Amino acid sequence: MKSIDINCDMGESYGNFKIGNDLELMPFISSCNVACGFHGGDPLTIENTILRAKEFGLAIGAHPSYPDLSGFGRRKMIIDSEELKAIVKYQISALAGMCNSLGAKLKHVKPHGALYNAAASDRNIAWTIGKAMLELDSSLILVGLYGSQMQEIAEELNIKFISEAFIDRAYDKGGKLLSRNVSGAVHTNPEIAAKQALEIVLNGKVDIQDKEVIQIECDTLCIHGDNPAAKEILIHVKESFQNNDVNVRPFSHA
């Protein structure tokens, strides 16, 4: 039986703004990445998300972003390396402290949105995130895009790396995620998303435009909590995995 982790970005609601359906999705996943307050997530939401994640036995990670609350962290920002390192450290520290106070442990770090995309292709940004992690806790695991600069930097810095693929996002020929501005970049059809997830797990492949196929390896699959079809997608994924002897469990956190 094959095993795969499914992770989801959570705790992104802020004040009166509700984002995602965390409680409805938790039964279908094995890891969660909790917003740190810079793109979403207020202190009470963060605390409650950690508590619920503990109840469901989920591996808990920090989900740091650019300081872009009004843009949900999806706008690229030009920030000096030392300042960016401090910004990332601040967010990871907040999550680690909240976890400790609740009897949980922060296990991994997955950058959010524009910071994730920037770190995937920009060596300096990936290095900055890696150094921030090492200065806080060398046991933290970095979750990032397969074959990206994040993976290369993690290997250089001796940081454990978990490669990620996406259930509900389309890819380009280079193996990067299609821009959300492109039609069809986000999968909302549960059958299409579930088919992509199964193809990645069983065959390490993803269908892209023009009937081409690219190779992808991963240790974890991501579903976006703010995708309105997320629950239906996960229901289809669960059924598809069960029919093909694929088990969902957290990636190793030894």
Side-chain angles (χ1 to χ4, degrees), residues 149-189:
Q149 287 295 318
M150 280 189 278
Q151 185 169 7
E152 291 187 16
I153 291 298
E155 291 172 358
E156 290 180 26
L157 294 176
N158 199 29
I159 295 172
K160 184 172 180 180
F161 182 80
I162 294 295
S163 59
E164 176 180 51
F166 289 81
I167 295 172
D168 60 348
R169 291 294 307 275
Y171 286 80
D172 64 20
K173 293 181 181 180
K176 293 184 173 60
L177 299 179
L178 278 182
S179 168
R180 286 177 177 268
N181 296 324
V182 177
S183 177
V186 179
H187 295 318
T188 55
N189 183 312

Side-chain angles (χ1 to χ4, degrees), residues 9 12 39 63-66 72-74 110-116:
D9 307 335
E12 295 178 317
H39 75 277
H63 198 39
S65 76
Y66 284 124
F72 198 61
R74 288 185 173 151
K110 175 188 164 182
H112 165 80
L115 182 60
Y116 182 101

Side-chain angles (χ1 to χ4, degrees), residues 43-219:
L44 184 58
T45 295
I46 292 169
E47 184 165 80
N48 286 336
T49 303
I50 293 170
L51 287 171
R52 299 293 86 77
K54 278 187 61 181
E55 291 177 8
F56 283 94
L58 306 182
I60 301 171
H63 198 39
S65 76
Y66 284 124
D68 180 27
L69 193 57
S70 61
F72 198 61
R74 288 185 173 151
R75 299 180 295 189
K76 185 173 181 179
M77 305 178 77
I78 307 301
I79 300 175
D80 173 82
S81 294
E82 284 301 309
E83 182 179 0
L84 181 59
K85 185 173 71 171
I87 286 169
V88 172
K89 284 176 66 176
Y90 183 92
Q91 294 178 78
I92 297 173
S93 298
L95 255 294
M98 292 285 271
C99 285
N100 288 340
S101 74
L102 299 169
K105 181 171 175 54
L106 187 70
K107 298 296 183 66
H108 64 274
V109 174
K110 175 188 164 182
H112 165 80
L115 182 60
Y116 182 101
N117 293 332
S121 58
D122 189 311
R123 176 181 175 83
N124 185 55
I125 293 175
W127 183 274
T128 300
I129 293 170
K131 291 296 288 183
M133 293 171 60
L134 286 178
E135 290 179 12
L136 289 171
D137 183 350
S138 62
S139 72
L140 287 171
I141 299 166
L142 178 61
V143 176
L145 192 66
Y146 166 72
S148 68
Q149 287 295 318
M150 280 189 278
Q151 185 169 7
E152 291 187 16
I153 291 298
E155 291 172 358
E156 290 180 26
L157 294 176
N158 199 29
I159 295 172
K160 184 172 180 180
F161 182 80
I162 294 295
S163 59
E164 176 180 51
F166 289 81
I167 295 172
D168 60 348
R169 291 294 307 275
Y171 286 80
D172 64 20
K173 293 181 181 180
K176 293 184 173 60
L177 299 179
L178 278 182
S179 168
R180 286 177 177 268
N181 296 324
V182 177
S183 177
V186 179
H187 295 318
T188 55
N189 183 312
E191 293 182 1
I192 291 175
K195 180 182 177 181
Q196 175 164 302
L198 187 64
E199 186 72 5
I200 291 171
V201 174
L202 295 184
N203 301 311
K205 297 178 180 179
V206 174
D207 294 328
I208 59 173
Q209 294 174 331
D210 303 322
K211 297 183 179 180
E212 293 189 46
V213 175
I214 58 172
Q215 295 291 131
I216 284 185
E217 296 178 17
C218 75
D219 307 294

